[in-house]
Amino acid sequence: MSPSVVAQRTALNMAVEENEGPKEIKVGVIGCGRIGVVHLGAITKAPNVTPIIVSNPTVSKAEAAAAQYGVPRFTSDAMDVITDPEVDAVWICSPSSFHADQIKACAANGKHVFCEKPLATDLAETVEAINACNEAGVKLMTGLQRRFDPNFKRVKTAIDNKEVGETIMIKLCSRDPSPPPFEYVKGGGGIFADMAVHDLDMSRFLAGEDPIDILAVGACHIDKSIEALAGSEAFDTASCIVRYPNGVQAVVDVCRQSSYGYDQRAEVLGTSGMIATDNVYPNTAKIYKNSFTGNADMPYDFFLSRYTEAYVTETVAFCESLVNDTPVPCTGQDGLAALIMALAADMSAAENRWVTFKEVVESVYCSDPLNCEIVPTEVFPEGFNPQSNPGALLLDDVDTVKRKSLRKEVASKVKGIFSKSSA
């Protein structure tokens, strides 16, 4: 798609003209549950961004959120937010099963999108949803909040700055205080897609490369009732080994119960040192007694309290991207890669073997960018050329289109200068 078409189809021309101040962005929020309210609170702290409408099927929740944060309008219908002519961008914080359709509707109405992970519950729908935004020329950011946590960000900075040399090994653990109810696990997609996806994404974020293959195993140790469920929904404990280019390995372990509280840690071994994050506590107070020495309080007991700062930071980051028309820090392609990693882990555990990520990518057949399906490898449609790179399934996003257009413009100007000088 040409840059001019993208500019025409974008609802908001966010370019900041010379000598003009930043744009004022008006946003809506879909979903006023726990996550939605966290994002709404963060939006109110971001400069030059104003929430003007919120929605929730239980309209009393939308009304309460609107009253709490001074939002002028509320509704029970998400489409009221998406079609509102004043709204420039939409935060999608609804249940996962609604994400793909709401992203596509936002794109059709020229709205920029922030969507909590996953972008969709199905791989083909994920590709369609991302392409809908890219074709419409609107920004799409995936909510993977751990990338914005100050502890994990510091590890990433150390890797980028070669503070511990070249990366050799990445280790990540994620352990919840207590298992979720049976009803939550059933139909949730399994431990890899529901829980480990954050750690798998973090391994890719820290490695700075797309992964090659994965070996995953799972078991049930805590809640035996889930053993009746299918696939990885029957696991409450799992481990993964992910191989990256240049021999870099990542090891991930997850468990749905930790007797000592919420546990999130990272460690990276490099050729000249190691960097590691400790678990995070509500405070730094310690008790010293003849019978005990250690932290005065337990670690955080819930992900919202543990990652409050990260949720605020990622929300503000997207707001800044909208106001300043800069690339989003966590793209639709990042969300797609995280889902592919989770699906590959699921396949590995089910089939007890190493699974390459390109196996998952190659299962996606798109007759056009907005119409995709999953096909078995033995029945590829005639003329289908499987893609092994997730990015090959996607149209260029709006930021990439602008970047390519700028490079072309600069190259043209440079060529013109040289042409004149040689004349």
Side-chain angles (χ1 to χ4, degrees), residues 26-228:
K26 295 180 180 180
V27 305
V29 176
I30 297 173
C32 294
R34 299 174 306 193
I35 294 294
V37 170
V38 168
H39 283 296
L40 180 57
I43 290 167
T44 62
K45 297 180 177 68
N48 304 303
V49 179
T50 305
I52 62 170
I53 185 171
V54 296
S55 74
N56 199 82
T58 304
V59 73
S60 59
K61 289 188 175 182
E63 183 178 14
Q68 181 178 355
Y69 291 104
V71 180
R73 302 199 301 279
F74 61 89
T75 177
S76 62
D77 189 349
M79 287 305 297
D80 291 342
V81 177
I82 294 171
T83 58
D84 191 305
E86 291 188 74
V87 169
D88 301 309
V90 176
W91 263 251
I92 297 177
C93 306
S94 54
S96 301
S97 58
F98 296 99
H99 288 183
D101 286 341
Q102 289 173 348
I103 291 172
K104 293 174 184 178
C106 285
N109 284 272
K111 313 299 186 186
H112 303 286
V113 184
F114 176 99
C115 185
E116 271 295 330
K117 72 86 186 170
L119 298 179
T121 55
D122 171 81
L123 183 57
E125 273 200 322
T126 302
V127 174
E128 291 174 352
I130 297 170
N131 279 335
C133 290
N134 294 351
E135 185 175 74
V138 297
K139 294 179 183 287
L140 170 64
M141 178 165 166
T142 306
L144 290 163
Q145 89 284 352
R146 291 188 194 179
R147 290 178 174 227
F148 300 87
D149 175 77
N151 298 284
F152 291 115
K153 284 175 68 178
R154 182 62 184 88
V155 175
K156 176 63 172 174
T157 299
I159 294 171
D160 291 344
N161 294 339
K162 307 295 184 184
E163 293 179 51
V164 294
E166 298 295 332
T167 300
I168 297 173
M169 174 76 74
I170 300 168
K171 291 185 177 180
L172 297 156
C173 85
S174 181
R175 300 164 189 168
D176 288 349
S178 58
F182 181 90
E183 292 74 20
Y184 175 91
V185 177
K186 184 178 181 181
I191 196 168
F192 301 110
D194 171 55
M195 185 178 180
V197 64
H198 284 288
D199 304 273
L200 294 169
D201 171 70
M202 182 52 59
S203 76
R204 177 175 174 265
F205 179 60
L206 296 178
E209 299 269 7
D210 280 330
I212 299 170
D213 54 9
I214 189 169
L215 180 65
V217 294
C220 182
H221 291 279
I222 312 299
D223 181 5
K224 295 297 183 179
S225 69
I226 66 171
E227 288 185 315

